[in-house]
Amino acid sequence: TTPKRSTKQSHWCICGVTVRNSPICCNTTASPVENCSCAPQKHGGKPCSAAASTYHAAIDQTNVEVMASQLDADDKQQTLDWAAARQAWDQHVEALDTDAGERADGVTALESKLGTRAHWDGVYERELRNFAHDPSDEGVDWFSDDVGDRLMEYVTENCPLEDGVLDLGCGSAVFLLDLAAKREGRFLGIDYSEVAVALAANVGQKRGLSQVRFCHADATRLEDLGERFGLVLDKGTFDAYMLGAAASVDRYAASVRAALKPGGVFVITTCNSTADEVAALFTARGFVERDRVPYP
């Protein structure tokens, strides 16, 4: 963030989404620039430091009023750097959230490339290549280590792991694999990106955790899995899903309910909604709020 753009209420930029700090909202920084888009200023957000600092530093270094023919070699390179930074900035702006109006279920919709399968396929294609080159690189965990540690502590102490664990939008499945380590039981990670599933399966095989399964599946059609779980985890997946053009809270909530055993627990970690907002969305659809895990 930049001091001159600060506001009274702290906002953060996580993968292109403006969020408000709240008791259960988790924040992190995204780096490098290609993994994070800057939050639009019309929403009151601060720009992601990586993109903004590159852009503004290039602006400061370049005198755009001087003709290119009059510049020496160093100044010409600065001009090229400025042009590249400007292009990257424009691409970020194009990918930012746009107000898509109100959906049929009454929830105001924002759309972003982060709500598309093509975006996540691209992300995990890159991470799969990285893993093939360096098996110690297991991919990005989309929240900070502090969030993962606190979530791990909560689910191990308060959730029925013995009744099976389902991880929605598992990505590289780092959290699920950490949870399954030194535990017997039923662990399933699903993702609508087949590339993510391939990455997760490779990471799981490297760790030797044969009790963890992965499959390509739609989080809004969990009834198709044909099994139910004592714990369903969502660590950022609902956030990304709600940025898609066809998102429906009604459909998502009904799908999660279909995957839960009676008395099962749904744990959702979000960075796009306040605690009250996400609680209202799901309690209105048959869930009962049990706990809030504060952050920080």
Side-chain angles (χ1 to χ4, degrees):
T1 60
T2 54
K4 64 183 179 181
R5 292 177 182 264
S6 62
T7 58
K8 292 182 179 180
Q9 184 177 18
S10 178
H11 290 68
W12 295 79
C13 175
I14 173 170
C15 298
V17 181
T18 304
V19 302
R20 286 168 286 180
N21 289 342
S22 70
I24 66 167
C25 287
C26 305
N27 58 51
T28 184
T29 56
S31 179
V33 176
E34 64 184 10
N35 287 337
C36 183
S37 302
C38 293
Q41 295 304 303
K42 67 180 181 180
H43 292 291
K46 302 176 185 178
C48 171
S49 59
S53 62
T54 301
Y55 180 62
H56 292 293
I59 290 289
D60 293 339
Q61 295 170 7
T62 304
N63 183 353
V64 295
E65 297 179 354
V66 179
M67 298 298 293
S69 60
Q70 298 174 322
L71 300 178
D72 59 24
D74 290 341
D75 288 335
K76 287 182 180 179
Q77 185 58 51
Q78 287 180 351
T79 301
L80 292 174
D81 292 343
W82 178 87
R86 176 61 183 269
Q87 183 180 19
W89 180 271
D90 289 342
Q91 289 173 348
H92 281 298
V93 171
E94 290 176 3
L96 295 178
D97 306 329
T98 56
D99 189 344
E102 191 171 277
R103 301 193 193 280
D105 54 14
V107 178
T108 300
L110 296 174
E111 293 182 17
S112 164
K113 70 174 184 179
L114 299 174
T116 66
R117 184 179 307 181
H119 170 77
W120 295 109
D121 281 345
V123 168
Y124 290 113
E125 284 171 2
R126 180 173 62 252
E127 294 197 351
L128 190 57
R129 289 194 299 270
N130 292 342
F131 178 79
H133 176 73
D134 178 8
S136 68
D137 184 352
E138 296 182 338
V140 175
D141 192 3
W142 293 105
F143 293 96
S144 69
D145 290 341
D146 289 344
V147 175
D149 291 345
R150 187 166 301 193
L151 184 59
M152 183 68 69
E153 179 182 358
Y154 178 81
V155 299
T156 54
E157 293 180 358
N158 298 278
C159 298
L161 304 182
E162 67 279 3
D163 291 333
V165 179
L166 173 63
D167 188 6
L168 305 181
C170 63
S172 60
V174 171
F175 183 85
L176 182 64
L177 291 167
D178 287 345
L179 182 62
K182 299 180 181 179
R183 286 188 176 89
E184 297 297 325
R186 187 164 51 103
F187 298 88
L188 175 63
I190 69 162
D191 205 292
Y192 75 164
S193 168
E194 292 181 272
V195 189
V197 172
L199 173 61
N202 276 277
V203 175
Q205 183 178 31
K206 186 203 77 169
R207 293 198 189 187
L209 297 175
S210 58
Q211 75 273 33
V212 185
R213 297 175 292 133
F214 301 99
C215 72
H216 175 236
D218 185 344
T220 66
R221 298 187 59 85
L222 297 177
E223 61 273 15
D224 293 344
L225 294 176
E227 52 184 316
R228 293 193 167 200
F229 303 83
L231 172 62
V232 175
L233 290 169
D234 179 322
K235 194 155 74 72
T237 297
F238 180 71
D239 291 341
Y241 169 74
M242 288 305 295
L243 295 173
S248 164
V249 182
D250 289 343
R251 180 59 197 151
Y252 196 89
S255 179
V256 172
R257 286 173 61 86
L260 282 169
K261 286 187 172 183
V265 178
F266 174 46
V267 177
I268 179 170
T269 307
T270 176
C271 68
N272 289 8
S273 305
T274 66
D276 289 341
E277 287 169 346
V278 75
L281 289 176
F282 285 94
T283 55
R285 292 163 174 82
F287 289 77
V288 176
E289 182 181 1
R290 191 173 82 174
D291 291 311
R292 296 186 183 187
V293 182
Y295 183 85

